[in-house]
Protein backbone atom coordinates (compact mmCIF):
# COMPACT_ATOMS: atom_id res chain seq x y z
CA UNK A 1 0.00 0.00 0.00
CA UNK A 2 2.71 2.45 -0.99
CA UNK A 3 2.42 5.79 -2.78
CA UNK A 4 4.38 6.75 -5.88
CA UNK A 5 5.92 10.20 -6.34
CA UNK A 6 6.68 11.41 -9.87
CA UNK A 7 8.66 14.42 -11.09
CA UNK A 8 7.65 14.47 -14.75
CA UNK A 9 9.95 16.32 -17.13
CA UNK A 10 10.12 16.37 -20.90
CA UNK A 11 12.93 13.77 -21.09
CA UNK A 12 12.95 12.06 -17.69
CA UNK A 13 10.59 11.05 -14.90
CA UNK A 14 11.99 11.05 -11.38
CA UNK A 15 10.42 8.27 -9.33
CA UNK A 16 10.08 7.98 -5.55
CA UNK A 17 8.10 5.60 -3.33
CA UNK A 18 6.76 5.83 0.18
CA UNK A 19 7.27 3.24 2.88
CA UNK A 20 4.30 0.94 3.59
CA UNK A 21 2.99 3.21 6.37
CA UNK A 22 3.21 6.38 4.29
CA UNK A 23 5.65 8.19 6.58
CA UNK A 24 8.75 8.61 4.42
CA UNK A 25 9.62 8.99 0.74
CA UNK A 26 12.71 7.53 -0.88
CA UNK A 27 14.03 8.36 -4.34
CA UNK A 28 13.95 5.20 -6.44
CA UNK A 29 15.04 5.82 -10.02
CA UNK A 30 14.94 8.10 -13.03
CA UNK A 31 13.19 6.85 -16.15
CA UNK A 32 14.18 8.19 -19.54
CA UNK A 33 11.13 8.90 -21.67
CA UNK A 34 9.73 11.08 -24.46
CA UNK A 35 6.82 13.28 -23.44
CA UNK A 36 5.62 13.26 -27.06
CA UNK A 37 5.20 9.48 -26.70
CA UNK A 38 3.29 9.14 -23.41
CA UNK A 39 3.44 5.31 -23.32
CA UNK A 40 7.27 5.36 -23.44
CA UNK A 41 7.55 5.06 -19.61
CA UNK A 42 4.58 2.72 -19.08
CA UNK A 43 6.48 -0.56 -18.92
CA UNK A 44 8.94 0.62 -16.24
CA UNK A 45 6.21 2.34 -14.22
CA UNK A 46 3.93 -0.71 -14.41
CA UNK A 47 6.73 -2.91 -13.02
CA UNK A 48 7.27 -0.50 -10.09
CA UNK A 49 3.52 -0.24 -9.44
CA UNK A 50 3.14 -4.03 -9.31
CA UNK A 51 6.35 -4.68 -7.35
CA UNK A 52 5.61 -2.05 -4.70
CA UNK A 53 1.80 -2.46 -4.51
CA UNK A 54 1.27 1.22 -5.37
CA UNK A 55 -2.22 2.53 -4.57
CA UNK A 56 -1.84 6.23 -5.45
CA UNK A 57 0.50 8.56 -7.35
CA UNK A 58 1.53 12.11 -6.48
CA UNK A 59 2.67 14.01 -9.55
CA UNK A 60 4.60 17.25 -9.37
CA UNK A 61 2.59 20.22 -10.65
CA UNK A 62 4.95 22.99 -11.75
CA UNK A 63 3.10 26.26 -11.44
CA UNK A 64 4.51 29.68 -12.20
CA UNK A 65 5.68 31.65 -9.17
CA UNK A 66 2.50 33.75 -9.34
CA UNK A 67 0.38 30.58 -9.08
CA UNK A 68 -0.74 30.49 -12.71
CA UNK A 69 -0.42 27.34 -14.81
CA UNK A 70 1.94 27.46 -17.78
CA UNK A 71 2.93 24.90 -20.43
CA UNK A 72 4.81 22.61 -17.98
CA UNK A 73 1.83 22.59 -15.61
CA UNK A 74 -0.50 21.76 -18.49
CA UNK A 75 1.84 18.91 -19.48
CA UNK A 76 1.59 17.55 -15.91
CA UNK A 77 -2.21 17.80 -16.02
CA UNK A 78 -2.26 15.82 -19.27
CA UNK A 79 0.12 13.22 -17.90
CA UNK A 80 -1.88 12.81 -14.66
CA UNK A 81 -5.04 12.05 -16.66
CA UNK A 82 -3.14 9.65 -18.90
CA UNK A 83 -1.52 7.95 -15.88
CA UNK A 84 -4.88 7.37 -14.15
CA UNK A 85 -6.44 5.93 -17.28
CA UNK A 86 -3.45 3.74 -18.15
CA UNK A 87 -2.55 2.40 -14.71
CA UNK A 88 -5.95 2.51 -12.98
CA UNK A 89 -4.54 4.40 -10.00
CA UNK A 90 -5.65 7.82 -8.77
CA UNK A 91 -3.14 10.60 -9.34
CA UNK A 92 -2.91 13.78 -7.27
CA UNK A 93 -1.18 16.90 -8.57
CA UNK A 94 1.01 18.64 -5.98
CA UNK A 95 2.45 22.13 -6.37
CA UNK A 96 6.18 21.59 -6.86
CA UNK A 97 7.37 25.12 -7.55
CA UNK A 98 10.51 24.91 -5.45
CA UNK A 99 11.31 21.18 -5.23
CA UNK A 100 13.95 20.99 -7.97
CA UNK A 101 15.70 24.04 -6.53
CA UNK A 102 15.51 22.51 -3.04
CA UNK A 103 16.94 19.23 -4.34
CA UNK A 104 19.76 21.11 -6.08
CA UNK A 105 20.55 23.02 -2.86
CA UNK A 106 20.64 19.82 -0.79
CA UNK A 107 23.01 18.19 -3.27
CA UNK A 108 25.24 21.28 -3.40
CA UNK A 109 25.42 21.40 0.39
CA UNK A 110 26.37 17.71 0.37
CA UNK A 111 29.17 18.63 -2.07
CA UNK A 112 27.89 16.26 -4.76
CA UNK A 113 29.65 16.79 -8.09
CA UNK A 114 27.75 18.35 -11.00
CA UNK A 115 27.87 15.07 -12.94
CA UNK A 116 26.40 13.07 -10.04
CA UNK A 117 23.79 15.78 -9.29
CA UNK A 118 22.49 15.50 -12.84
CA UNK A 119 21.95 11.76 -12.35
CA UNK A 120 20.00 12.02 -9.07
CA UNK A 121 18.25 15.40 -9.17
CA UNK A 122 15.01 14.09 -10.72
CA UNK A 123 14.51 11.20 -8.29
CA UNK A 124 15.39 13.51 -5.40
CA UNK A 125 12.82 16.07 -6.60
CA UNK A 126 10.27 13.21 -6.81
CA UNK A 127 11.12 12.27 -3.22
CA UNK A 128 10.63 15.88 -2.08
CA UNK A 129 7.27 16.07 -3.91
CA UNK A 130 6.13 12.83 -2.30
CA UNK A 131 7.43 13.76 1.17
CA UNK A 132 5.56 17.08 0.97
CA UNK A 133 2.36 15.17 0.20
CA UNK A 134 2.96 12.65 3.01
CA UNK A 135 3.61 15.45 5.52
CA UNK A 136 0.32 17.14 4.56
CA UNK A 137 -1.81 14.00 4.88
Amino acid sequence: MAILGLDVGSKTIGVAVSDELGFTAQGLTTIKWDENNLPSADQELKAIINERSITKAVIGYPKNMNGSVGPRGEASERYAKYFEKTHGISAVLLDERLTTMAAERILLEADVSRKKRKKVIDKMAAALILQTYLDQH
Side-chain angles (χ1 to χ4, degrees):
M1 299 264 298
I3 301 173
L4 193 66
L6 301 175
D7 180 36
V8 181
S10 59
K11 297 178 183 164
T12 61
I13 298 175
V15 181
V17 293
S18 74
D19 64 338
E20 291 290 318
L21 298 175
F23 291 132
T24 61
Q26 298 87 31
L28 186 62
T29 189
T30 299
I31 299 172
K32 290 190 185 320
W33 86 306
D34 175 4
E35 78 173 335
N36 296 315
N37 177 14
L38 292 182
S40 62
D42 287 353
Q43 191 173 346
E44 288 177 80
L45 286 171
K46 184 62 107 182
I48 293 167
I49 289 165
N50 290 336
E51 181 182 311
R52 305 279 179 147
S53 302
I54 301 296
T55 57
K56 180 185 283 186
V58 179
I59 298 173
Y61 191 32
K63 293 183 175 180
N64 296 321
M65 292 311 282
N66 67 4
S68 65
V69 178
R72 292 301 326 147
E74 291 169 358
S76 288
E77 290 171 353
R78 273 192 306 278
Y79 188 74
K81 287 177 188 167
Y82 171 82
F83 182 91
E84 285 184 329
K85 193 170 91 174
T86 302
H87 299 287
I89 296 171
S90 69
V92 177
L93 290 167
L94 183 87
D95 185 352
E96 62 142 281
R97 275 180 265 193
L98 302 176
T99 54
T100 301
M101 284 190 290
E104 182 85 21
R105 190 170 51 252
I106 290 165
L107 292 169
L108 282 170
E109 288 173 7
D111 201 27
V112 176
S113 72
R114 181 180 299 273
K115 189 175 180 182
K116 287 182 182 172
R117 280 197 313 267
K118 192 171 170 65
K119 289 182 179 177
V120 299
I121 193 93
D122 294 325
K123 72 178 176 182
M124 188 163 195
L128 289 169
I129 290 165
L130 181 54
Q131 190 63 56
T132 300
Y133 175 83
L134 296 173
D135 291 347
Q136 294 173 356
H137 293 86

